[in-house]
Amino acid sequence: MNIIFSDRSPHYDASRLALTFPATAGDMHVECAITAEALEDHFGAASLREADLCGAFLAHRAAIERAAARMIEATQSEAITLHSGYFRMYRDSDDGVKSPFAVRPHA
């Protein structure tokens, strides 16, 4: 599956305490999100402030997008949320995530 992420900045969703970011998987639009807790626990966000969350996201965008791609591949869902527990379970040294699922490279 070819998964493409937009290069625009993530959107802060205060009602979910998460950042959202779009992806396209084949011809399907996917709403991706990462929780504030995951950004604090695993990517160094200093607080729940939007600026801190966005800074952590942008600094670790590649690792977060790899994790999102793995979840999209595994679930084939139109909406995914990366929680802190995902990163605790599937951690590895290169991007913080080790997936139990076979993933094909994406563009």
Side-chain angles (χ1 to χ4, degrees):
M1 176 181 298
N2 187 30
I3 300 171
I4 300 169
F5 294 92
S6 170
D7 61 355
R8 69 180 188 214
S9 294
H11 171 74
Y12 181 63
D13 184 341
S15 67
R16 292 171 56 190
L17 288 177
L19 294 182
T20 61
F21 54 103
T24 303
D27 60 356
M28 180 175 64
H29 173 76
V30 182
E31 179 188 303
C32 303
I34 183 168
T35 65
E37 179 184 33
L39 288 163
E40 287 181 308
D41 290 350
H42 303 284
F43 297 104
S47 75
L48 295 175
R49 289 180 44 237
E50 181 178 356
D52 290 338
L53 298 174
C54 286
F57 179 92
L58 295 174
H60 299 280
R61 181 177 216 138
I64 293 165
E65 288 178 350
R66 283 192 295 273
R70 288 178 177 114
M71 188 174 282
I72 293 166
E73 285 273 344
T75 65
Q76 304 290 305
S77 179
E78 293 180 358
I80 60 108
T81 300
L82 298 168
H83 293 273
S84 190
Y86 180 87
F87 294 99
R88 274 194 300 276
M89 280 183 69
Y90 303 113
R91 182 174 302 160
D92 72 15
S93 61
D94 64 330
D95 68 2
V97 179
K98 181 178 180 184
S99 176
F101 310 106
V103 178
R104 293 178 300 271
H106 67 278

